[in-house]
Coordinates of all heavy atoms in Angstrom, one line a residue:
S456 N 15.2 45.5 -45.9 CA 13.8 45.6 -45.6 C 13.4 44.6 -44.5 O 12.6 44.9 -43.6 CB 13.0 45.4 -46.9 OG 11.6 45.4 -46.6
D457 N 13.9 43.4 -44.7 CA 13.6 42.3 -43.7 C 14.0 42.8 -42.3 O 13.3 42.5 -41.3 CB 14.4 41.0 -44.0 CG 13.8 40.3 -45.2 OD1 12.7 40.6 -45.7 OD2 14.5 39.4 -45.7
R458 N 15.1 43.4 -42.2 CA 15.6 43.8 -40.9 C 15.2 45.2 -40.4 O 15.6 45.7 -39.4 CB 17.2 43.7 -40.9 CG 17.6 42.3 -41.0 CD 19.2 42.2 -41.1 NE 19.6 40.8 -41.0 CZ 19.8 40.1 -39.9 NH1 19.6 40.7 -38.8 NH2 20.1 38.9 -40.0
E459 N 14.4 45.9 -41.3 CA 13.9 47.2 -41.0 C 15.1 48.1 -40.7 O 15.0 49.0 -39.8 CB 12.9 47.2 -39.9 CG 11.7 46.4 -40.1 CD 10.7 46.4 -39.0 OE1 11.0 46.9 -37.9 OE2 9.6 45.9 -39.2
D460 N 16.1 48.0 -41.5 CA 17.3 48.8 -41.4 C 17.8 49.2 -42.8 O 18.6 48.6 -43.4 CB 18.4 47.9 -40.7 CG 19.7 48.8 -40.4 OD1 19.7 49.9 -40.8 OD2 20.6 48.2 -39.8
P461 N 17.3 50.4 -43.2 CA 17.6 50.9 -44.6 C 19.1 51.2 -44.8 O 19.5 51.5 -45.9 CB 16.7 52.1 -44.8 CG 16.4 52.5 -43.4 CD 16.4 51.3 -42.5
Q462 N 19.8 51.3 -43.7 CA 21.2 51.7 -43.8 C 22.2 50.5 -43.4 O 23.4 50.8 -43.1 CB 21.5 52.9 -42.9 CG 20.8 54.2 -43.4 CD 21.1 55.4 -42.6 OE1 21.8 55.3 -41.5 NE2 20.7 56.6 -43.0
L463 N 21.7 49.3 -43.4 CA 22.5 48.2 -43.0 C 23.7 48.1 -44.0 O 23.6 48.0 -45.2 CB 21.7 46.9 -43.2 CG 22.5 45.6 -42.8 CD1 22.8 45.5 -41.4 CD2 21.6 44.4 -43.2
P464 N 24.9 48.2 -43.4 CA 26.1 48.3 -44.3 C 26.3 46.9 -45.0 O 26.2 45.9 -44.4 CB 27.3 48.5 -43.3 CG 26.6 49.1 -42.1 CD 25.3 48.5 -42.0
F465 N 26.7 47.0 -46.3 CA 27.1 45.9 -47.1 C 28.5 46.1 -47.6 O 28.8 47.1 -48.2 CB 26.1 45.7 -48.3 CG 24.9 44.9 -48.0 CD1 23.9 45.3 -47.2 CD2 24.8 43.6 -48.5 CE1 22.8 44.6 -47.0 CE2 23.7 42.8 -48.2 CZ 22.7 43.3 -47.5
F466 N 29.3 45.1 -47.5 CA 30.7 45.1 -47.9 C 30.8 44.1 -49.1 O 30.7 42.9 -48.8 CB 31.7 44.8 -46.8 CG 31.5 45.7 -45.7 CD1 30.8 45.4 -44.6 CD2 32.2 47.0 -45.7 CE1 30.6 46.3 -43.5 CE2 32.0 47.9 -44.7 CZ 31.3 47.6 -43.6
I467 N 31.0 44.5 -50.3 CA 30.9 43.7 -51.5 C 32.3 43.4 -52.0 O 33.1 44.3 -52.3 CB 30.1 44.4 -52.6 CG1 28.8 45.0 -52.1 CG2 30.0 43.5 -53.8 CD1 27.8 43.9 -51.6
V468 N 32.7 42.1 -51.9 CA 34.0 41.7 -52.4 C 34.0 41.6 -53.9 O 33.2 40.8 -54.5 CB 34.4 40.4 -51.7 CG1 35.8 40.0 -52.3 CG2 34.4 40.5 -50.2
Q469 N 34.8 42.3 -54.6 CA 34.9 42.3 -56.1 C 35.7 41.0 -56.5 O 36.6 40.6 -55.7 CB 35.6 43.5 -56.6 CG 35.4 43.8 -58.1 CD 36.1 45.1 -58.5 OE1 37.2 45.4 -58.1 NE2 35.4 45.9 -59.3
L470 N 35.3 40.5 -57.6 CA 36.0 39.2 -58.1 C 37.5 39.5 -58.3 O 37.9 40.5 -58.9 CB 35.4 38.7 -59.4 CG 33.9 38.2 -59.3 CD1 33.5 37.6 -60.6 CD2 33.8 37.2 -58.2
P471 N 38.3 38.6 -57.9 CA 39.8 38.7 -58.1 C 40.2 38.3 -59.5 O 39.4 37.9 -60.3 CB 40.4 37.8 -57.0 CG 39.3 36.7 -56.9 CD 38.0 37.3 -57.1
N472 N 41.5 38.4 -59.8 CA 42.1 37.9 -61.0 C 42.0 36.4 -61.1 O 42.3 35.7 -60.1 CB 43.5 38.4 -61.2 CG 44.3 38.2 -59.9 OD1 43.9 38.5 -58.8 ND2 45.5 37.6 -60.1
F473 N 41.7 35.9 -62.3 CA 41.5 34.4 -62.5 C 41.6 34.1 -63.9 O 41.2 34.9 -64.8 CB 40.2 33.9 -61.9 CG 39.9 32.5 -62.1 CD1 40.8 31.5 -61.7 CD2 38.7 32.1 -62.7 CE1 40.6 30.2 -61.9 CE2 38.5 30.7 -63.0 CZ 39.4 29.8 -62.6
M474 N 42.1 32.9 -64.2 CA 42.4 32.4 -65.6 C 43.6 33.0 -66.2 O 44.3 33.7 -65.6 CB 41.1 32.6 -66.5 CG 39.9 31.8 -66.0 SD 38.4 32.1 -66.9 CE 37.8 33.6 -66.1
E475 N 43.9 32.5 -67.4 CA 45.2 32.9 -68.1 C 45.2 34.4 -68.5 O 44.1 34.9 -68.9 CB 45.5 32.0 -69.2 CG 45.7 30.6 -68.8 CD 46.3 29.7 -70.0 OE1 46.7 30.3 -71.0 OE2 46.3 28.5 -69.9
E476 N 46.3 35.0 -68.5 CA 46.5 36.4 -69.0 C 46.2 36.4 -70.5 O 46.6 35.5 -71.2 CB 47.9 36.9 -68.7 CG 48.2 37.0 -67.3 CD 49.6 37.6 -67.1 OE1 50.0 38.4 -67.9 OE2 50.3 37.1 -66.2
P477 N 45.5 37.4 -71.0 CA 45.2 37.5 -72.4 C 46.4 38.0 -73.2 O 47.2 38.8 -72.7 CB 44.1 38.6 -72.5 CG 44.3 39.4 -71.3 CD 44.9 38.5 -70.2
A478 N 46.5 37.6 -74.4 CA 47.6 38.0 -75.3 C 47.4 39.4 -75.8 O 48.3 40.1 -76.1 CB 47.8 37.0 -76.5
W479 N 46.1 39.8 -75.9 CA 45.8 41.2 -76.3 C 44.5 41.7 -75.6 O 43.8 40.9 -75.1 CB 45.6 41.2 -77.9 CG 44.6 40.2 -78.3 CD1 43.2 40.3 -78.3 CD2 44.8 38.9 -78.8 NE1 42.6 39.2 -78.8 CE2 43.6 38.3 -79.1 CE3 46.0 38.1 -79.0 CZ2 43.4 37.0 -79.6 CZ3 45.9 36.8 -79.5 CH2 44.6 36.3 -79.8
P480 N 44.3 43.0 -75.6 CA 43.1 43.5 -74.9 C 41.8 43.0 -75.6 O 41.8 42.9 -76.9 CB 43.2 45.0 -75.0 CG 44.6 45.2 -75.4 CD 45.1 44.0 -76.2
G481 N 40.8 42.7 -74.9 CA 39.6 42.2 -75.5 C 38.4 42.1 -74.5 O 38.5 42.6 -73.4
Y482 N 37.5 41.3 -74.9 CA 36.3 41.1 -74.1 C 36.6 40.2 -72.8 O 37.4 39.3 -72.9 CB 35.2 40.4 -74.9 CG 34.0 39.8 -74.2 CD1 33.0 40.7 -73.8 CD2 33.9 38.5 -73.9 CE1 31.9 40.2 -73.1 CE2 32.8 38.0 -73.3 CZ 31.8 38.8 -72.8 OH 30.7 38.3 -72.2
S483 N 35.9 40.5 -71.7 CA 36.1 39.8 -70.5 C 34.8 39.8 -69.7 O 34.3 40.8 -69.2 CB 37.2 40.4 -69.7 OG 37.2 39.9 -68.3
Q484 N 34.3 38.6 -69.4 CA 33.1 38.4 -68.6 C 33.4 38.9 -67.1 O 32.6 39.6 -66.5 CB 32.6 37.0 -68.6 CG 31.9 36.6 -69.8 CD 31.4 35.1 -69.7 OE1 31.7 34.4 -68.8 NE2 30.6 34.7 -70.7
W485 N 34.6 38.5 -66.6 CA 34.9 38.8 -65.2 C 35.1 40.3 -65.1 O 34.8 40.9 -64.0 CB 36.1 38.0 -64.8 CG 35.7 36.6 -64.3 CD1 34.8 35.8 -64.9 CD2 36.0 36.0 -63.1 NE1 34.6 34.6 -64.2 CE2 35.4 34.7 -63.1 CE3 36.9 36.3 -62.0 CZ2 35.5 33.8 -62.0 CZ3 37.0 35.4 -61.0 CH2 36.4 34.2 -61.0
A486 N 35.7 41.0 -66.1 CA 35.8 42.4 -66.0 C 34.5 43.1 -66.0 O 34.2 44.1 -65.2 CB 36.7 42.9 -67.2
E487 N 33.5 42.6 -66.8 CA 32.2 43.2 -66.8 C 31.5 42.9 -65.5 O 30.8 43.8 -65.0 CB 31.4 42.6 -67.9 CG 31.9 42.9 -69.3 CD 31.7 44.3 -69.8 OE1 31.0 45.1 -69.0 OE2 32.2 44.7 -70.8
M488 N 31.7 41.8 -64.9 CA 31.1 41.5 -63.6 C 31.7 42.4 -62.5 O 30.9 42.9 -61.6 CB 31.4 40.0 -63.2 CG 30.9 39.6 -61.8 SD 29.2 39.9 -61.5 CE 28.5 38.4 -62.2
R489 N 33.0 42.6 -62.5 CA 33.6 43.5 -61.6 C 33.0 44.9 -61.7 O 32.7 45.6 -60.7 CB 35.1 43.6 -61.7 CG 35.8 42.3 -61.4 CD 37.3 42.5 -61.5 NE 38.0 41.2 -61.6 CZ 38.6 40.7 -62.6 NH1 38.7 41.4 -63.8 NH2 39.1 39.5 -62.6
A490 N 32.7 45.3 -63.0 CA 32.1 46.6 -63.2 C 30.7 46.7 -62.6 O 30.2 47.7 -62.0 CB 32.1 47.0 -64.7

Side-chain angles (χ1 to χ4, degrees):
S456 175
D457 287 348
R458 293 177 172 276
E459 299 180 352
D460 186 355
Q462 297 184 348
L463 179 66
F465 271 75
F466 302 96
I467 311 299
V468 179
Q469 197 177 46
L470 294 187
N472 47 311
F473 175 54
M474 294 176 277
E475 294 190 14
E476 296 180 37
W479 55 82
Y482 168 77
S483 165
Q484 287 183 347
W485 277 45
E487 296 287 354
M488 174 59 80
R489 295 185 194 110

